[in-house]
Structures are given as C-alpha cells and as structure tokens.
Amino acid sequence: MRKELWKENENGDEFYVVTVAYSSETYTGDLTMDATESIHLAFFHPNELPTPLVKSHEKILKEFLAWG
C-alpha cells in the first residue's frame, strides 16, 4: 500500500483510505443509501460537483475526467 493513503485519526484509529468511483451513461431504479455510512446520496454532472470535495476524491475525479 502507498504511504500517502495511510491515515491515523485523533482517537488513534489507523486505516488506509480506499475510494472507488463508478461511471455510467444511464441509470434506472432508485438510489438506496445506508444511513449508518452516509448522510447524502446523489448523482452529479462532472461540471456541477459539490464543493468542497475531499482531496482524495477530487484527485480521482480529475484523473478520471482527464481520460475524456
């Protein structure tokens, strides 16, 4: 694992940051959120992303969108 992905919280918990991004041209159905892990769930157009973004998420999105 890469060192820059390892984090330690103020309470001493240690973990690696793992972020997964998905892309889709179409979607059917309803988004379902697990309220124990998230406070909001939505789709965003790449030109209308919320701010501020978590730095690791911003990096992944920029890399993905650069692929065109």
Side-chain angles (χ1 to χ4, degrees), residues 14-59:
E14 300 175 11
F15 61 96
Y16 280 96
V17 175
V18 177
T19 304
V20 178
Y22 297 94
S23 173
S24 176
E25 294 291 324
T26 61
Y27 179 83
T28 60
D30 298 317
L31 290 174
T32 305
M33 182 181 78
D34 179 346
T36 64
E37 296 195 8
S38 302
I39 58 171
H40 184 73
L41 182 64
F43 288 114
F44 295 95
H45 186 278
N47 295 333
E48 299 171 354
L49 295 172
T51 57
L53 287 175
V54 174
K55 293 291 183 197
S56 61
H57 297 182
E58 184 177 13
K59 181 177 186 264

